[in-house]
Amino acid sequence: MSRAQAGPIRLLIVDDHPIVRDGLRGVFAGDPDFEVVAEAADGLDAVRVAETVEVDVILMDLRMPGTSGVEAITRLRERNHPARVLVLTTFDSDRDVVAAIEAGATGYLLKDARRDELIRAVRAAAAGQPVLAPSVAGTLMGRVGAREPGGLSPRELDVLRLVAAGATNQAAARELLVSEATIKTHLIHLYNKLGVRDRAAAVAVAYQRGILG
């Protein structure tokens, strides 16, 4: 969904605590640039609402009874839903951060963020720009630093750039004059170094760390 269109950024607030939803609604109340169009109390409800209400950005809690935030993000991505998901949670563990990013979250913010930080993050998410809380960025850096003492090799960087450009393994192999098996091996190595499990997450983390510009 393009944000070049006129009108406020339409928000869906997803959290199992009514008082949190009320507080978030209050953050955007009275600001003509935003409109809270719906709320949901769990991930399953969030997916249902997102399919019936036009939404630009979903503020998504992670740990909720029933369907979790990560599960909801995964389902939305599988259905090619155009809304951007900005995770808003109290958890910044390695497991939570990476799982959310791999599922397809555009941003990850903590609930202790200031109002102006939240508003900037929502604007960035609506524009498709990744946004991470400082502690979350530190978590990712710590994960990568623990796994990547030597950095990516020149050939791994070549493969990563081709993947970021949308190349398949077969196309990358033709471009680099190697076998598909070799490309798969390079991908495994760079996944390990970046601390991710798939192509999309590798590209996202590479952009966040400035490996790709």
Side-chain angles (χ1 to χ4, degrees), residues 69-141:
V70 169
E71 291 177 272
I73 297 168
T74 300
R75 294 186 188 186
L76 289 167
R77 185 180 65 175
E78 290 172 348
R79 300 178 189 192
N80 295 315
H81 195 283
R84 309 290 185 175
V85 178
L86 175 61
V87 170
L88 188 61
T89 183
T90 57
F91 305 101
D92 62 353
S93 72
D94 178 282
R95 181 188 66 182
D96 291 311
V97 174
V98 173
I101 292 174
E102 288 184 346
T106 299
Y108 198 111
L109 208 61
L110 300 182
K111 287 181 179 177
D112 61 359
R114 299 192 307 272
R115 179 181 183 276
D116 59 324
E117 292 175 332
L118 176 57
I119 289 176
R120 283 198 301 270
V122 171
R123 291 187 191 279
Q129 301 169 357
V131 56
L132 294 174
S135 64
V136 172
T139 296
L140 286 176
M141 289 295 290

Side-chain angles (χ1 to χ4, degrees), residues 147-148 151-153 156 182-196:
R147 295 192 178 195
E148 188 194 355
L152 300 183
S153 71
E156 288 164 356
T182 298
I183 295 297
K184 291 178 181 177
T185 298
H186 287 311
L187 285 172
I188 290 171
H189 290 166
L190 69 88
Y191 289 169
N192 287 335
K193 290 181 178 181
L194 295 178
V196 300

Side-chain angles (χ1 to χ4, degrees), residues 152-180:
L152 300 183
S153 71
R155 183 43 59 98
E156 288 164 356
L157 284 171
D158 290 339
V159 172
L160 183 59
R161 291 188 183 102
L162 288 169
V163 167
T168 63
N169 289 354
Q170 185 179 37
R174 286 198 304 268
E175 177 71 21
L176 299 177
L177 303 177
V178 297
S179 68
E180 287 187 57

